Amino acid sequence: MSEELHRIRLSVNGVTREVELPARRLLSDALRHDLGLTGTHVGCEHGVCGACTVLVDGRPVRACLMFAVSAVDTEITTVEGLTREDGSLGPVQQAFAECHGLQCGFCTPGFLTTVTACLRENPHPSHDEAREMVAGNLCRCTGYQNIVKAVERAAELADPQHDDQHDDQHDDQQSDAPVEVQP
Amino acid sequence: MKPAPFAYHRPTTLAEALETLAGESYAKVLAGGQSLVPLLSMRIAAPHALVDINAIPGLDTIEVSEAGVRVGALVRHADLLAHPDVRRVQPLVPEALAHVAHATIRNRGTTVGSIVHADAAAEMPVVLSLLGGSVEAASTAGTRTIPAGDLFLGPLESALRPDEIATSAFFPALPAGAGVAFEEISRRQGDYALAGVAVVVHGESVRAGFVSVSDVPTVVDLTGVPDDELGEAALAHLDPAEDIHATADYRAQLVRTLVRRVVTKAREAAA
């Protein structure tokens, strides 16, 4: 049985790519199989775990709950797109590495994309807000303490005002965080 | 699992969408897809065709007036929640929206889609019922307004016909002097509620809507019921079910606890 294929253009991490796929291809599968961007992970496939979260027009969205054909005319950012242009880690990636915010790493791409977008909306989250930011993503290694620390550390790293003299608010919550190393 | 094959249509006008829908034997409308896509992936549903309305302009508008809030079919939960004027006109809408799934789901899911999905475990169908709102439906035959009281027929079954698209939902404004509140209990914040209660208090009138404790979104008039009898009065109209997450008795206990708490909060909001 042959299935109708759709030739579409997807804009991913600033690059427009043409793919041919059936309408039922989930965006998560299109990214991985059709575009080779295997950073986006597929967990539960029904919107619960958040491992497949990507940014669609800058907002976190479950890639397993969108069809690729529905993603035309949008700008998609995957975890691969969070790296700085020179190839070094972006602030959220750097913070997760510093704070041990990943154990097995399976859920990590979803956390990184989610936190990146949330910090853009709220650059100075309270501790509760930092917890809320990651509430929709499941980590089965139970690494949430360090993940929340990583969110708060990422907020510091992304803050242009930030230097090695931490302000009081961050010192309270981040007293055991490593000191930032400026490149 | 993956969805079964389907024909995919991406119309760019409402008229084209309605004609496509009328010409298909078993089609579903795709807006946010946050409830539909899991059903397709688990092959609980396998429509022959999807009509994706995301490319139709004009369906993503929020109109706030003194009469209430009209929400277009493509308005995402997150945008309705963030709208600065909605809270002023009808505070129950943002109160309840904050409990709709997780922020990431709210970025894609639509409020109108959630309503016509008619899940009694979802917040917005109950809110529409409690507020006496309505849904505007369009087909090639014309448009009609479906009052919330006529909309919910059974589990996941709305009065929307297969050839109709719900183009907007209307939430009436809160009258002066009235108060609202919403609370729910879930195992993890953002998950489906084990039980949830929305309340509108206006003068002597007390009305409550219940999430996840009956087959269809249910509203109960509790006017004149003494505070310590609110729970039993509500449970006379509800049929809490047992599932893997909670026994029927536990759900009933959540109803008793929540309804009294939420009525108190709504009274405080009204004062």
Side-chain angles (χ1 to χ4, degrees), chain A residues 24 29 45 59-60 70 138, chain B residues 2-3 52 79 107 188-189:
Chain A
R24 60 178 170 143
D29 291 331
E45 288 213 295
R59 302 168 105 182
S70 233
L138 289 180
Chain B
K2 309 295 178 187
D52 183 343
D79 292 322
N107 282 338
R188 179 179 66 142
Q189 187 187 350

Side-chain angles (χ1 to χ4, degrees), chain A residues 46-47 60-66, chain B residues 30-39 76-77 101-110 117 192:
Chain A
H46 60 282
V61 165
R62 302 281 202 249
C64 77
L65 295 188
M66 250 184 107
Chain B
L30 174 67
Q34 304 298 285
S35 301
L36 178 61
V37 177
L39 291 180
R76 316 291 166 179
H77 295 300
H102 301 282
T104 305
I105 304 284
R106 294 197 293 267
N107 282 338
R108 186 74 190 159
T110 63
H117 186 59
Y192 280 116

Side-chain angles (χ1 to χ4, degrees), chain A residues 1 3-4 6 23-26 28-29 33 42 44-49 53 56 59-62 64-67 69-74 114 132 135-138 144, chain B residues 1-10 30-38 40-43 50 52 54-55 76 78-79 98 102-108 188-189 191:
Chain A
M1 189 184 115
E3 194 172 345
E4 187 193 354
H6 299 259
R24 60 178 170 143
R25 179 87 90 238
L26 300 169
S28 45
D29 291 331
H33 301 301
V42 173
C44 70
E45 288 213 295
H46 60 282
V48 173
C49 78
T53 306
V56 174
R59 302 168 105 182
V61 165
R62 302 281 202 249
C64 77
L65 295 188
M66 250 184 107
F67 293 111
V69 285
S70 233
V72 297
D73 304 329
T74 67
T114 303
E132 171 90 31
N137 293 61
L138 289 180
Y144 288 97
Chain B
M1 281 172 67
K2 309 295 178 187
F6 52 80
Y8 175 76
H9 305 284
R10 192 179 170 84
L30 174 67
Q34 304 298 285
S35 301
L36 178 61
V37 177
L40 301 179
S41 286
M42 291 186 266
R43 300 207 180 185
L50 288 191
D52 183 343
N54 282 284
R76 316 291 166 179
D79 292 322
H102 301 282
T104 305
I105 304 284
R106 294 197 293 267
N107 282 338
R108 186 74 190 159
R188 179 179 66 142
Q189 187 187 350
D191 285 356

Side-chain angles (χ1 to χ4, degrees), chain B residues 162-238:
Chain B
D163 65 341
E164 284 180 318
I165 293 175
T167 51
S168 70
F170 179 72
F171 297 92
L174 194 67
V180 296
F182 187 100
E183 272 198 46
E184 67 177 38
I185 304 287
S186 55
R187 294 166 69 243
R188 179 179 66 142
Q189 187 187 350
D191 285 356
Y192 280 116
L194 298 174
V197 182
V199 169
V200 178
V201 170
H202 188 205
E204 293 301 304
S205 162
V206 177
R207 297 172 77 247
F210 293 87
V211 175
S212 276
V213 280
S214 48
D215 278 352
V216 289
T218 304
V219 175
V220 179
D221 191 333
L222 296 169
T223 306
V225 177
D227 278 6
D228 54 6
E229 292 170 30
L230 285 169
E232 297 314 318
L235 284 165
H237 300 270
L238 302 167

